[in-house]
Amino acid sequence: GENVEQHPSTLSVQEGDSAVIKCTYSDSASNYFPWYKQELGKRPQLIIDIRSNVGEKKDQRIAVTLNKTAKHFSLHITETQPEDSAVYFCAASRGNSGYSTLTFGKGTMLLVSP
Amino acid sequence: GAVVSQHPSWVICKSGTSVKIECRSLDFQATTMFWYRQFPKQSLMLMATSNEGSKATYEQGVEKDKFLINHASLTLSTLTVTSAHPEDSSFYICSARGTAQSSYNEQFFGPGTRLTVL
């Protein structure tokens, strides 16, 4: 099955700095890579996703890059703000059958200090 | 769009009792629903996948007789924790995927249910 590794487990930055979280996956057939932000006690919120037919996607201060050859993808947050503080999860999924599942990384706790 | 609700948001029960958690897709038809368990400071662990009208597919290590899943309609799935014990205390989160998302695996998450078993 799929295995997703996520690094770092914690990341502390100063407000205004950039933050980068990296994930690797094992299943070369995976074709969908979402990133979720989860605040304490809340639901995971999809913040950006990328599909295997593109290498990069950007949405304002957030960007995701995908390297299919190396089987890794990264989340980039620029101009970080204290409200970006949360746990971020990457995930990977393959296929489009009714039983396609998401495999999550272990999460990165991002702390943005004012 | 793509709103998923869960009820209850939290529940406290005595050991040995059963607890039912509901997951509803409010504005789309969820052909597939997923149930996850999340322990403090840990990632989401998939428990089972259910397709409407079919039996749920459980992940390895998840007892199907203990965690009963029903997905009787395109907008409702239920998870029943039977004979709950303190070790079942966790944050249970459902997610749903509709036909519009089926080409990839975009899932929309419910707000979660905090279960505490005394």
Side-chain angles (χ1 to χ4, degrees):
Chain A
E2 176 67 276
N3 182 50
V4 177
E5 298 283 342
Q6 184 172 347
H7 298 281
S9 56
T10 59
L11 179 59
S12 295
V13 300
Q14 291 289 321
E15 183 177 2
D17 288 349
S18 295
V20 180
I21 302 171
K22 298 181 179 182
C23 289
T24 61
Y25 62 99
S26 61
D27 188 347
S28 57
S30 287
N31 62 357
Y32 176 63
F33 308 91
W35 286 89
Y36 291 88
K37 174 184 179 183
Q38 186 180 30
E39 297 176 356
L40 188 63
K42 302 286 183 64
R43 77 182 83 197
Q45 296 271 18
L46 178 69
I47 56 172
I48 197 167
D49 57 15
I50 192 166
R51 300 171 185 181
S52 59
N53 56 346
V54 298
E56 184 173 358
K57 183 177 178 181
K58 191 172 182 179
D59 182 5
Q60 299 183 348
R61 297 187 297 109
I62 295 172
V64 58
T65 58
L66 171 64
N67 183 327
K68 288 173 56 180
T69 302
K71 289 189 282 188
H72 66 69
F73 56 113
S74 301
L75 177 71
H76 303 254
I77 306 174
T78 58
E79 301 173 33
T80 54
Q81 301 166 2
E83 50 266 38
D84 293 330
S85 297
V87 178
Y88 292 80
F89 293 98
C90 64
S93 177
R94 63 177 289 185
N96 59 1
S97 75
Y99 295 93
S100 296
T101 60
L102 285 173
T103 301
F104 285 86
K106 291 185 183 294
T108 297
M109 178 175 289
L110 174 63
L111 297 172
V112 182
S113 303
Chain B
V3 178
V4 177
S5 70
Q6 241 179 283
H7 179 81
S9 56
W10 60 270
V11 57
I12 301 173
C13 70
K14 292 182 179 180
S15 185
T17 60
S18 294
V19 175
K20 179 184 282 189
I21 302 170
E22 292 186 349
C23 177
R24 294 182 185 273
S25 57
L26 300 185
D27 54 0
F28 69 102
Q29 293 185 323
T31 50
T32 306
M33 285 187 169
F34 305 85
W35 287 95
Y36 295 85
R37 181 167 52 184
Q38 186 177 34
F39 292 108
K41 298 185 178 181
Q42 293 189 23
S43 189
L44 289 86
M45 299 301 297
L46 179 66
M47 299 175 67
T49 302
S50 72
N51 288 290
E52 185 265 338
S54 302
K55 287 185 178 180
T57 300
Y58 290 81
E59 295 298 301
Q60 191 172 9
V62 178
E63 300 175 56
K64 62 180 181 180
D65 294 331
K66 180 170 183 61
F67 299 99
L68 302 178
I69 291 171
N70 184 281
H71 190 170
S73 77
L74 286 172
T75 59
L76 173 65
S77 176
T78 59
L79 167 68
T80 301
V81 183
T82 62
S83 186
H85 291 284
E87 57 266 30
D88 298 324
S89 298
S90 187
F91 193 48
Y92 291 86
I93 310 176
C94 71
S95 71
R97 184 179 71 205
T99 54
Q101 295 85 31
S102 62
S103 295
Y104 291 88
N105 203 356
E106 185 174 6
Q107 298 178 20
F108 301 96
F109 285 84
T113 297
R114 174 78 56 193
L115 170 63
T116 302
V117 185
L118 301 177

